[in-house]
Amino acid sequence: MTDQLRIALAQLNPKVGDLTGNLALARQALADATAAKADILLLSELFLTGYFPDDLLFKPQFVADAIAAAHALVAETAGTDVTLILPTIWREGDDLYNAVVVAEAGEITATRFKRELPNSDVFYEKRYFKPGPLPFPVTIRGVSVGIPICEDIWHSWVCEHLMREGAEILLCPNGSPYWTNKQHGRKNLVRARVAEDDVPLLYLNQVGGQDELVYDGASFAMEPGDRLVLQGKSFEPDFILSDWTRGENGWTSTNGVVNELTSVEEAPWRAAVLGLRDYVHKNGFSEVVLGLSGGIDSAVVAAMAVDALGPEKVHCIMLPYRYTSEASIKDARDCAELLGVRYDVVSIGNPVDQALAELAPIFGDRPSDLAEENIQSRMRGTILMAVSNKLGSMLLTTGNKSEMGVGYATIYGDMNGGYNPLKDMFKMQVYALADWRNKHLPGDCRGPAGMVIPQSIIDKAPSAELRPDQKDQDSLPPYPVLDDILTCMVEEEMALGDIVARGHDPALVKRIERLVNIAEYKRRQSAPGPKLSPRAFGLGRRYPITNGYKDLTVG
């Protein structure tokens, strides 16, 4: 039995399905832990498969290959003094488990299975795994160690059982995605478990983007007495070492490093940038292209792309038509110069006019309306997709959550693209982030410091510029009003009567509800983007397209 432990937490960025690449990351972490003379190395939840592999788990060969990779890593603990705690899928008979394997000296010494399987907005583990029994501690270096897996700590009885069975310290591997205030929510949860069980808890999270989820890392440890003794980096990989000593009052940390958490103002920018960077790179792209209109949304996406990839990897194109103002042309050019990106101008005048001429016999003498406006948007989308196809760059789309909420976007037009960094940001959040980015440069971002979005873009009234003197507010309420209604309706699922009670016009609330409902078919066909709020369109919010429900709380 020892009274000293050195614990290594590997906060890494795995890729779902990449067994070879994830195994290489794990091998490097094991080598780093060995060099650091660590007693224990903990990897994050389902590390070798990546979290979460979804229906890959229905593929027998994938399951077999993942378990084989786990055995290969276990074998590599031979000749080291490190005890490896490897979260992995595991099969017993016909049952598949979300598990941890404990390995020492090339052999498996214990397995433990996740008890509480989430069945929530983004994870459906009950679809794939069998829940394990209440877990018992494992003995490492003579120390009784409890290993609750992620969701297990959200249910007090799992940790209580571990404590009754003698656990002296808790090590918890996680795959916990970011959204607003999630970091503080995790701390409050762990604070409660530590206070109830009177032992330290080390919380390891993965980092990186995976489709619509962004994992923010920010691993940490807390001791009884509400002491934060360890805080890993946010939105970056980290290899976190800490030494622990057993005394009269249990285990205490002697040298944990506490990094400052990313602020609530910075976190959404970092999450969007990380999600974009990983989506581009993990899907085999290196460069992106986008339409730069001179408006706030495309300017913010351009800045995020530069921060994610570097200016040399970002191509911005202005696609003017007769309704594009000189101010927008100047703003787009100025933004591109501030960011240092390639900037081209491709007029859509001739192709749009030719399309209208060809359609004239069909359109007849009907007055101009959305059909003509949408031809402009779809021509832009076609040209941008052509550039993407020819040059091999991923097309980014730039619609925000407010617009996507009410369908203020053209399907097969400005919605074209492989990824949308603003998909879960309301319009007023986009403005706030533009102002924030002009004043700050996060350490892992690759863009220039200082102003990157011209103040004239932030100050001017938003417009799609698809007809003379058009403004967004011709069709929509002011964005602060719209955003509040959508927050109530989408994120809070409030009844219409309760939204009206906040001071909103009943007719407007009913109109917004109708727009939200009829735009569901557009959102189903929209590009993925990072989930930044507890309730995002797409992953986590599943509404029927054909929907006859009417909220009658407003007449």
Side-chain angles (χ1 to χ4, degrees):
M1 181 179 294
T2 182
D3 291 328
Q4 306 286 331
L5 283 176
R6 175 167 289 180
I7 300 174
L9 305 180
Q11 179 179 294
L12 303 176
N13 187 346
K15 176 182 177 180
V16 165
D18 186 5
L19 300 175
T20 301
N22 297 341
L23 182 57
L25 287 175
R27 284 172 170 150
Q28 184 59 56
L30 182 59
D32 292 342
T34 301
K37 295 182 168 44
D39 298 298
I40 298 172
L41 169 64
L42 178 64
L43 295 169
S44 56
E45 186 174 14
L46 294 186
F47 184 80
L48 293 179
T49 62
Y51 194 83
F52 190 75
D54 293 316
D55 281 8
L56 282 173
L57 295 171
F58 288 149
K59 196 174 185 66
Q61 189 60 51
F62 175 76
V63 171
D65 290 346
I67 293 173
H71 281 292
L73 189 62
V74 165
E76 295 188 23
T77 62
T80 77
D81 293 324
V82 178
T83 297
L84 171 67
I85 301 177
L86 170 61
T88 179
I89 59 174
W90 204 250
R91 187 178 289 285
E92 286 198 355
D94 293 331
D95 297 323
L96 189 66
Y97 294 93
N98 182 336
V100 292
V101 168
V102 182
E104 296 176 351
E107 301 290 337
I108 295 173
T109 59
T111 56
R112 295 293 184 268
F113 303 138
K114 189 174 184 177
R115 167 71 176 184
E116 301 296 335
L117 303 178
N119 191 39
S120 59
D121 61 339
V122 294
F123 297 127
Y124 296 85
E125 291 196 22
K126 292 181 180 180
R127 176 175 167 88
Y128 310 101
F129 297 125
K130 182 177 180 180
L134 280 170
F136 286 80
V138 299
T139 301
I140 300 175
R141 305 289 200 273
V143 180
S144 184
V145 178
I147 313 174
I149 303 174
C150 197
E151 186 78 11
D152 285 343
I153 67 170
W154 291 81
H155 304 271
S156 61
W157 49 84
V158 178
C159 293
E160 288 170 0
H161 175 77
L162 287 166
M163 303 317 301
R164 284 196 300 270
E165 298 300 324
E168 304 171 54
I169 191 169
L170 301 176
L171 305 182
C172 181
N174 294 268
S176 178
Y178 165 84
W179 55 70
T180 308
N181 293 323
K182 188 72 172 289
Q183 294 180 339
H184 299 288
R186 295 187 197 117
K187 280 208 172 62
N188 290 336
L189 170 71
V190 170
R191 183 176 289 113
R193 293 292 90 85
V194 171
E196 293 162 359
D197 302 319
D198 202 34
V199 296
L201 191 154
L202 285 75
Y203 182 107
L204 171 63
N205 194 23
Q206 74 175 47
V207 70
Q210 176 60 42
D211 294 346
E212 293 177 277
L213 297 178
V214 178
Y215 298 89
D216 54 304
S219 305
F220 64 98
M222 298 194 76
E223 291 179 358
D226 197 19
R227 293 191 297 273
L228 178 69
V229 295
L230 191 69
Q231 178 62 68
K233 297 175 182 177
S234 301
F235 301 103
E236 298 179 49
D238 203 0
F239 189 77
I240 307 163
L241 283 171
S242 58
D243 292 320
W244 295 78
T245 299
R246 177 164 40 195
E248 293 182 1
N249 297 317
W251 289 90
T252 57
S253 174
T254 59
N255 65 345
V257 174
V258 177
N259 291 286
E260 186 175 352
L261 266 183
T262 302
S263 70
V264 294
E265 294 81 15
E266 178 180 350
W269 187 275
R270 296 285 299 278
V273 166
L274 177 58
L276 171 57
R277 179 185 297 142
D278 277 357
Y279 191 83
V280 170
H281 288 161
K282 289 181 179 181
N283 284 289
F285 291 83
S286 61
E287 300 181 356
V288 296
V289 61
L290 68 145
L292 193 62
S293 69
I296 188 67
D297 297 320
S298 63
V300 168
V301 169
M304 287 176 170
V306 167
D307 278 356
L309 308 171
E312 71 282 0
K313 302 294 185 181
V314 179
H315 183 187
C316 292
I317 302 177
M318 158 59 84
L319 300 118
Y321 188 55
R322 68 184 64 159
Y323 305 129
T324 305
S325 68
E326 288 299 321
S328 291
I329 293 172
K330 180 181 186 302
D331 285 340
R333 182 178 63 249
D334 290 349
C335 185
E337 290 176 356
L338 289 170
L339 290 168
V341 299
R342 176 180 174 179
Y343 176 71
D344 289 306
V345 178
V346 178
S347 173
I348 64 169
N350 288 336
V352 168
D353 290 345
Q354 186 62 40
L356 291 172
E358 296 293 335
L359 287 166
I362 298 174
F363 284 7
D365 59 358
R366 293 175 177 85
S368 294
D369 55 16
L370 278 176
E372 285 81 5
E373 294 180 17
N374 286 341
I375 288 172
Q376 299 169 52
S377 181
R378 291 189 175 116
M379 191 61 68
R380 291 183 173 110
T382 297
I383 291 170
L384 289 168
M385 280 304 306
V387 173
S388 173
N389 292 161
K390 182 62 70 174
L391 302 186
S393 48
M394 179 184 287
L395 174 59
L396 300 182
T397 182
T398 64
N400 60 71
K401 190 174 186 177
S402 306
E403 295 169 353
M404 294 306 301
V406 295
Y408 195 68
T410 305
I411 195 166
Y412 322 126
D414 59 332
M415 288 176 62
N416 281 4
Y419 193 76
N420 180 3
L422 303 186
K423 186 173 184 178
D424 198 24
M425 282 186 201
F426 288 119
K427 187 77 167 189
M428 297 311 297
Q429 293 174 306
V430 176
Y431 279 111
L433 277 177
D435 183 68
W436 179 89
R437 178 56 181 85
N438 277 344
K439 300 171 183 175
H440 302 86
L441 177 64
D444 70 330
C445 289
R446 303 172 186 180
M451 179 174 287
V452 293
I453 299 167
Q455 189 63 40
S456 55
I457 291 179
I458 298 173
D459 291 341
K460 71 181 177 183
S463 170
E465 294 191 328
L466 298 175
R467 62 177 182 266
D469 301 318
Q470 182 185 22
K471 299 290 185 291
D472 287 6
Q473 258 63 83
D474 298 341
S475 305
L476 300 173
Y479 279 112
V481 174
L482 177 61
D483 288 357
D484 188 68
I485 293 173
L486 289 173
T487 299
C488 296
M489 195 174 291
V490 174
E491 297 191 359
E492 304 297 331
E493 295 288 1
M494 290 171 59
L496 299 192
D498 294 333
I499 300 174
V500 169
R502 291 171 60 88
H504 294 295
D505 176 68
L508 176 61
V509 171
K510 290 187 68 175
R511 175 172 169 250
I512 297 304
E513 182 202 32
R514 178 180 178 276
L515 292 174
V516 169
N517 288 341
I518 65 175
E520 186 63 34
Y521 84 99
K522 287 186 179 182
R523 292 190 291 270
R524 290 283 187 95
Q525 300 178 67
S526 65
K531 176 179 167 66
L532 304 175
S533 71
R535 191 77 161 156
F537 290 125
L539 185 66
R541 185 183 186 273
R542 293 169 172 85
Y543 265 64
I545 295 173
T546 306
N547 177 9
Y549 175 70
K550 304 295 183 185
D551 183 337
L552 301 179
T553 58
V554 173

